[in-house]
Amino acid sequence: GDGKGLKVEKVKEDFDADKIFYKVEIDASYVGDWKKFLERNLVGEVPVDNGAAPGTYTVIIQFIVDASGNVSDIKPLTNYGHGMEQEAIRVIKKSGKWNPARQNSQLVKAYRKQPITFQVLEQ
């Protein structure tokens, strides 16, 4: 009745290294300056060269970042065409290792959705 002798044990969940998280406490992030990386590596003329109408297009690319920071399973979630999704995928493949996501203070394998915006100006 007085709580003495009562042992409270924290049960740690079995950690499954193969589980892919959709939601995490801390998202995976690019190592370095993402904006500078895009400025140096993204070919912004791709939609213009492929006949896209003037406008702003934000492509969304989904990929997995594993606990070691490796990128895999890269696929577009948008379909604007004019080579934009392919160019965004090419740049993400070139981006190297990322900082892995964290869940319960553990580095985990998680999905990441990365928007990349193309602007096509009036000629």
Side-chain angles (χ1 to χ4, degrees):
D2 60 6
K4 287 184 180 163
L6 185 64
K7 186 176 175 192
V8 177
E9 224 175 275
K10 245 187 171 174
V11 178
K12 189 173 175 173
E13 289 178 44
D14 279 341
F15 184 70
D16 179 1
D18 290 328
K19 180 177 180 183
I20 303 171
F21 288 82
Y22 285 90
K23 279 226 172 269
V24 289
E25 292 166 351
I26 301 171
D27 277 326
S29 60
Y30 179 68
V31 176
D33 185 331
W34 180 244
K35 187 175 183 233
K36 268 194 181 126
F37 175 78
L38 286 180
E39 286 169 357
R40 286 192 191 119
N41 294 284
L42 187 76
V43 180
E45 294 78 36
V46 165
V48 175
D49 294 347
N50 288 296
T56 300
Y57 303 88
T58 299
V59 301
I60 310 280
I61 306 298
Q62 177 179 278
F63 51 97
I64 294 171
V65 178
D66 70 17
S68 299
N70 300 305
V71 172
S72 65
D73 199 28
I74 305 168
K75 55 180 104 169
L77 298 182
T78 54
N79 187 17
Y80 291 112
H82 304 287
M84 288 182 269
E85 282 81 9
Q86 291 84 347
E87 178 60 12
I89 288 168
R90 183 191 68 77
V91 167
I92 288 170
K93 282 182 180 173
K94 190 176 180 176
S95 68
K97 289 198 178 221
W98 286 54
N99 294 313
R102 289 184 172 271
Q103 184 68 24
N104 298 326
S105 300
Q106 298 263 0
L107 297 177
V108 295
K109 187 188 242 188
Y111 282 101
R112 164 96 183 153
K113 289 180 185 166
Q114 184 65 48
I116 296 178
T117 301
F118 291 86
Q119 284 192 311
V120 178
L121 304 175
E122 298 256 2
Q123 293 296 335

